[in-house]
Amino acid sequence: MRRRKTAVAAGCCLAFLLGTLLNLLFIPGSEHPPPPSEELPPSPPGAPLYPPEEEIGGGQAALARQIRERYEEVLRYRQHRAAAAGRRPLRPRERRLMDLAPPRTSAEQPGPRGRAAAGPWAGASAELSLEPPLLGCRDIRDVSGVQYLGSGYTKAVYKAVLNRTLAVALKAVDFGGHDIAHCVRQFSSLGDCYRLAAYKIVKEMILLQRLRHANVLQLYGYCYQDSNDIPDTLTTITELGSPLEMIQLLQTSWEDRFRICLSLVRLLHYLAHSPLGSVTLLDFRPRQFVIVDGELKVTDLDDASVEESSCTSNSDCFMEFPARNFTLPCSVEGRCQSMNEKRNLYNAYRFFFTYLLPHSAPPSLRPLLDKIVNATGELHWGIDETAAQLERVLNLYKSGEYLQNTTRVPKAEYRRVPEAHIPDENYRCWPSYHHKGCLLSVFDVNEAIEICDSYSQCKAFVLTNQTTWTGRQLVFFKMASNHIVPDPDKITYVKVTD
Ligand SMILES: Nc1ncnc2c1ncn2[C@@H]1O[C@H](COP(=O)(O)OP(=O)(O)OP(=O)(O)O)[C@@H](O)[C@H]1O
């Protein structure tokens, strides 16, 4: 950790930063080619490529079991594709699926290494049909602007600029992280502990590729490279976001907070109907999401699951949260009905809706927003209904219909000055899109008048040609109109009576 922060602070020396990054991500400087994926044939059932437990003593057997479980989980996600493709036999390329197999012991490693393009798990490279064309190892050799972004239990994430043009996130196992430290303490095998942790990234990579949606972070590519001691360490290259800061979000406009909730609901709607089945995010803390251009996107998918709990009675379908518990019905097929969807929804309620949705919303939308918050907090609605209600709020807001119930009698008179701007005379208001002035979004000029009427400080306002994500116009509210200058893109309104 200290090493990472020191490197980032040094900032000025690109070579040093790059060297440090490679070191931290265990991307070797060497061009040592990983084993050819062709040399890792599909293992027949009962002949796994990891050491059989009975041949290993005590702790090592437990570690081998954990690696096997993660490996099998990864296979399940990949096999979903074959199932979706009509259960046709796997073509040779697809059979490289077994490239995902846990590593052989050194004694089992096949002879000379033949191909530089793919690692042992990187048969994935042939299978992940990423568009635009996949980024790979050669692309992360020439990186600049390396910056540590964050880390969790298992992974560390860095920002990097590729070819001085594309800013991306690079994700790799954090060798200084809790997961590796805990495993090495227990099993004393860095190589195997690395594999165990790296399966989380492999799983995430497969899910990022399978779950294509505007609110799922985009996977650009990946790189397998040997480190000094560990072969074929994995780095994924993804879209860059900024970490979701709840405190910061609480200070933004309702419109922007609503956007976060709407993107979350669109994501959960997609996950409930995904090609893999209903996906639940077992770890649903805000830090699992990032913001990209104002939209929320899920980035951490290593704890996602498609298994719906099996049950024999309703009592098996118990969902426990810190402040509430729920018992869902057990279906005749012996599955807890909509459990994945409902878990996501309640988490969305407790981490997002309750803080972000009603607070400082337009008064006429409050009853509907309160209804949404209550219905999700009680799990009365499923995701389809919740998504429909949030889309309804969006429509009411975008169309200006939410203003129609309010009586709009202007108190003051205003003089319209076309092609004019007031550059100074700012005052601060909350929540403003500008940190020094009062910049708010409005549906139309009448709403701007209403806002100006309600602020005693407001003596004028300037309609800009900028709009927000909903298409509403941004307006600067001013405390005086002494200095008006020509500006073809703006219209000024000056209060003539109070
Ligand atoms: N694409 C990205 N852009 C910007 N920041 C990111 C990106 N992906 C992840 N991060 C940041 O890096 C942190 C660590 O990433 P990630 O959550 O994948 O690691 P983790 O070890 O799985 O964490 P956890 O133990 O919390 O599950 C995240 O909390 C997030 O703030």
Side-chain angles (χ1 to χ4, degrees):
M1 189 66 146
R2 201 179 320 122
R3 194 164 45 133
R4 180 167 53 222
K5 284 194 177 141
T6 315
V8 171
C12 58
C13 178
L14 177 63
F16 171 66
L17 272 176
L18 180 55
T20 308
L21 174 83
L22 295 179
N23 210 5
L24 291 164
L25 296 182
F26 270 51
I27 300 169
S30 85
E31 299 293 306
H32 204 47
S37 50
E38 288 80 1
E39 292 174 16
L40 292 168
S43 59
L49 292 174
Y50 33 77
E53 271 171 46
E54 56 276 16
E55 287 176 19
I56 326 168
Q60 290 305 316
L63 181 54
R65 188 169 52 246
Q66 288 180 40
I67 293 176
R68 181 203 307 261
E69 280 165 12
R70 289 210 185 149
Y71 163 62
E72 285 169 356
E73 187 189 14
V74 164
L75 283 190
R76 281 199 300 277
Y77 286 111
R78 292 176 64 93
Q79 277 160 347
H80 257 285
R81 174 169 42 196
R87 301 190 187 281
R88 57 176 166 71
L90 293 175
R91 290 191 297 249
R93 264 188 165 186
E94 289 171 316
R95 280 196 277 114
R96 292 224 198 112
L97 167 149
M98 297 310 292
D99 296 345
L100 287 158
R104 300 167 188 218
T105 60
S106 50
E108 289 173 304
Q109 286 292 348
R113 297 175 161 212
R115 246 169 36 113
W121 316 343
S125 68
E127 297 195 40
L128 293 176
S129 52
L130 301 178
E131 290 174 27
L134 186 67
L135 297 179
C137 297
R138 89 187 91 80
D139 301 287
I140 56 174
R141 269 178 211 138
D142 178 27
V143 294
S144 54
V146 177
Q147 206 183 317
Y148 168 72
L149 285 177
S151 52
Y153 204 76
T154 314
K155 297 162 266 166
V157 183
Y158 294 81
K159 174 185 171 180
V161 181
L162 311 187
N163 293 323
R164 307 196 184 274
T165 47
L166 179 67
V168 297
L170 301 179
K171 198 184 264 199
V173 168
D174 185 1
F175 280 84
H178 186 93
D179 222 356
I180 288 279
H182 179 77
C183 176
V184 169
R185 221 178 299 125
Q186 206 178 351
F187 301 111
S188 315
S189 168
L190 181 62
D192 288 339
C193 287
Y194 175 81
R195 290 290 166 219
L196 183 68
Y199 270 116
K200 286 196 173 183
I201 302 190
V202 177
K203 173 182 170 185
E204 187 165 286
M205 186 163 77
I206 290 171
L207 288 177
L208 286 178
Q209 201 260 335
R210 298 296 321 278
L211 302 172
R212 300 286 188 94
H213 185 262
N215 300 108
V216 175
L217 205 76
Q218 216 184 313
L219 176 70
Y220 292 150
Y222 56 87
C223 168
Y224 285 97
Q225 281 183 297
D226 291 358
S227 79
N228 299 330
D229 302 318
I230 299 180
D232 309 304
T233 59
L234 169 62
T235 303
T236 54
I237 310 164
T238 67
E239 193 175 7
L240 178 69
S242 37
L244 194 143
E245 298 288 348
M246 220 34 162
I247 305 286
Q248 222 169 299
L249 270 184
L250 289 170
Q251 293 166 34
T252 60
S253 67
W254 177 81
E255 192 173 354
D256 284 355
R257 281 182 280 115
F258 175 69
R259 189 179 190 186
I260 299 295
C261 295
L262 183 68
S263 41
L264 178 59
V265 159
R266 286 175 175 169
L267 169 69
L268 298 189
H269 184 264
Y270 171 77
L271 291 182
H273 304 284
S274 90
L276 299 174
S278 181
V279 177
T280 194
L281 304 174
L282 292 171
D283 188 353
F284 201 101
R285 289 166 301 159
R287 50 173 296 147
Q288 314 299 319
F289 303 91
V290 292
I291 306 289
V292 181
D293 297 331
E295 287 271 323
L296 172 141
K297 298 197 180 201
V298 63
T299 160
D300 189 352
L301 282 171
D302 59 20
D303 286 311
S305 167
V306 288
E307 323 301 339
E308 289 271 18
S309 307
S310 56
C311 55
T312 50
S313 71
N314 290 357
S315 60
D316 294 334
C317 304
F318 186 67
M319 274 202 304
E320 197 175 3
F321 294 96
R324 255 326 280 266
N325 300 326
F326 297 93
T327 303
L328 298 177
C330 177
S331 73
V332 282
E333 295 84 30
R335 295 275 161 199
C336 295
Q337 262 176 34
S338 312
M339 197 164 194
N340 285 351
E341 170 184 332
K342 296 264 171 129
R343 187 186 294 107
N344 285 346
L345 203 48
Y346 188 77
N347 277 324
Y349 157 81
R350 74 187 180 109
F351 286 114
F352 290 89
F353 300 165
T354 174
Y355 301 111
L356 302 181
L357 262 187
H359 177 53
S360 74
S364 65
L365 291 176
R366 272 301 291 265
L368 182 50
L369 293 167
D370 288 342
K371 196 170 150 192
I372 295 172
V373 173
N374 291 338
T376 50
E378 295 294 325
L379 286 184
H380 286 158
W381 291 344
I383 189 63
D384 294 358
E385 180 64 17
T386 309
Q389 295 292 345
L390 260 93
E391 297 290 351
R392 198 175 142 213
V393 173
L394 176 66
N395 285 337
L396 291 172
Y397 192 61
K398 272 176 88 165
S399 64
E401 269 181 74
Y402 77 100
L403 292 166
Q404 280 171 8
N405 290 340
T406 52
T407 37
R408 310 179 76 195
V409 186
K411 288 191 213 135
E413 262 180 48
Y414 291 81
R415 180 166 54 91
R416 184 175 187 271
V417 189
E419 302 194 355
H421 176 43
I422 304 172
D424 303 313
E425 323 285 9
N426 283 310
Y427 67 90
R428 287 190 183 166
C429 67
W430 184 88
S432 172
Y433 282 94
H434 195 280
H435 66 284
K436 283 188 180 155
C438 183
L439 182 65
L440 303 174
S441 80
V442 299
F443 173 69
D444 59 9
V445 69
N446 290 331
E447 192 180 6
I449 288 174
E450 214 176 298
I451 293 171
C452 194
D453 278 352
S454 66
Y455 278 97
S456 57
Q457 269 170 300
C458 181
K459 303 292 180 225
F461 58 86
V462 180
L463 300 182
T464 71
N465 60 353
Q466 289 167 285
T467 52
T468 62
W469 70 278
T470 59
R472 289 160 59 89
Q473 203 167 3
L474 283 171
V475 177
F476 266 113
F477 292 87
K478 302 284 179 172
M479 55 197 263
S481 55
N482 301 330
H483 184 50
I484 301 181
V485 299
D487 187 327
D489 297 325
K490 299 190 173 70
I491 305 169
T492 292
Y493 283 78
V494 180
K495 219 182 224 180
V496 287
T497 57
D498 265 326

